[in-house]
């Protein structure tokens, strides 16, 4: 591993654990070069990767700072379920079903193998009716604060979007027949059609979270449009 890659990894570590929180200024290049014992050009190369990923931003005369979550999320948008339901004119409800360490059944690719995991299941409601069953893994190496967070008051969907940076998102959409858990929580018959969104986020090479979001097929739809219709 090159020196700049090691420095970039340490910078990611500090951003992820909010040693350098969102909106804060990074130390000057001279300070970082002295700390890591390298030339300023090596520091610039490490920072350039973080700038490209949208995790930090450089401003002339203002230095380099960690990108604010709202600005970062505008590049790679992950919807907040509560906002979707409220925008539809319905009343939003939320219920935490389970939160426990361990479990990797969702990880079919093995990306989270050997990582310490937090497994969370919760339910989003629209006017009291089940709207989305959220089944999620969080990598505690990437998000250590999640281990002690109480998700009774805010869904992991909303908390992660607001608190945790990410540099890559992969989303899969599909229809499937409801299994026992989906049927129980969505209050539909086993085998009924459900619309599923699977999403994984990463921070550089580090997997952050993997989630499977299931919806009753008659309650959920996706609309896309150009600005012409705004």
């Amino acid at each position: 591993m090159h020196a700049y890659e090691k420095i970039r990894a340490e910078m990611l570590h500090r951003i992820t654990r909010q040693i350098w929180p969102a909106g804060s200024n990074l130390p000057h290049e001279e300070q970082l070069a002295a700390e890591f014992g390298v030339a300023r050009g090596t520091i610039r190369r490490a920072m350039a990767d973080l700038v490209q990923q949208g995790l930090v931003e450089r401003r002339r005369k203002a230095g380099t700072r960690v990108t604010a979550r709202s600005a970062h999320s505008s590049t790679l948008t992950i919807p907040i379920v509560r906002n979707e339901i409220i925008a539809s004119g319905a009343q939003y409800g939320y219920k935490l079903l389970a939160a426990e360490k361990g479990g990797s059944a969702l990880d079919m690719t093995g990306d989270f193998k050997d990582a310490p995991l937090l497994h969370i299941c919760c339910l989003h409601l629209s006017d009291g009716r089940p709207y989305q069953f959220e089944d999620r893994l969080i990598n505690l190496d990437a998000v250590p604060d999640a281990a002690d967070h109480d998700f009774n008051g805010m869904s992991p969907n909303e908390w992660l979007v607001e608190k945790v940076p990410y540099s890559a998102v992969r989303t899969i959409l599909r229809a499937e027949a409801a299994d026992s858990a989906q049927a129980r929580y969505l209050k539909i018959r086993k085998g009924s059609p459900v619309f599923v969104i699977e999403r994984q986020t990463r921070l550089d090479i580090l997997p952050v979270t993997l989630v499977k979001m299931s919806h009753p097929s008659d309650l959920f739809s996706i609309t896309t449009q150009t600005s012409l219709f705004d």
Side-chain angles (χ1 to χ4, degrees):
M1 181 181 291
H2 295 291
Y4 85 91
E5 293 176 312
K6 295 179 181 178
I7 294 168
R8 181 191 62 186
E10 175 58 24
M11 289 179 173
L12 281 171
H13 172 87
R14 296 180 188 184
I15 291 170
T16 300
R17 284 155 178 75
Q18 300 187 49
I19 298 169
W20 293 341
S24 67
N25 288 324
L26 270 62
H28 294 298
E29 288 180 1
E30 295 89 342
Q31 294 175 269
L32 292 171
E35 176 186 348
F36 291 108
V38 297
R40 287 179 61 183
T42 304
I43 298 298
R44 289 194 196 102
R45 187 173 181 184
M47 282 189 175
D49 281 2
L50 300 181
V51 170
Q52 186 175 19
Q53 293 173 0
L55 298 174
V56 302
E57 56 185 354
R58 285 177 168 173
R59 294 188 175 186
R60 188 177 180 183
K61 297 183 180 180
T64 305
R65 70 176 186 177
V66 180
T67 306
R69 294 293 169 263
S70 58
H72 184 258
S73 296
S74 66
T75 304
L76 300 170
T77 301
I78 293 179
I80 294 177
V81 180
R82 176 175 59 85
N83 293 346
E84 289 182 355
I85 293 174
I86 293 174
S88 73
Q91 182 177 359
Y92 173 71
Y94 166 74
K95 182 184 297 184
L96 178 66
L97 301 172
E100 56 188 11
K101 293 181 180 179
S104 59
L106 286 177
D107 183 23
M108 303 301 292
T109 63
D111 289 346
F112 291 77
K113 184 180 179 181
D114 300 325
L117 299 175
L118 179 65
H119 185 196
I120 301 178
C121 294
C122 58
L123 192 64
H124 302 269
L125 306 167
S126 175
D127 281 343
R129 180 182 174 187
Y131 173 84
Q132 181 191 102
F133 171 48
E134 179 180 343
D135 192 1
R136 180 183 296 271
L137 296 178
I138 298 176
N139 180 2
L140 295 177
D141 275 344
V143 196
D145 289 350
D148 300 316
H149 185 75
D150 182 2
F151 287 99
N152 278 288
M154 178 184 287
S155 73
N157 160 247
E158 190 165 354
W159 185 81
L160 286 164
V161 169
E162 289 187 0
K163 302 291 185 182
V164 181
Y166 53 93
S167 57
V169 180
R170 181 177 64 200
T171 302
I172 300 172
L173 311 176
R174 70 170 185 271
E176 64 182 45
D179 61 20
S180 298
Q182 291 166 324
R184 179 166 68 254
Y185 295 123
L186 295 176
K187 298 188 183 304
I188 57 178
R189 292 184 177 180
K190 185 177 179 180
S192 296
V194 290
F195 187 84
V196 174
I197 301 174
E198 284 190 355
R199 180 177 293 122
Q200 181 176 339
T201 61
R202 302 177 70 91
L203 180 59
D204 195 36
I205 63 172
L206 188 65
V208 175
T209 184
L210 173 65
V211 61
K212 179 177 180 180
M213 299 164 284
S214 306
H215 311 78
S217 61
D218 66 330
L219 194 62
F220 185 79
S221 64
I222 294 177
T223 301
T224 61
Q225 64 182 48
T226 68
S227 58
L228 179 64
F229 290 89
D230 289 344

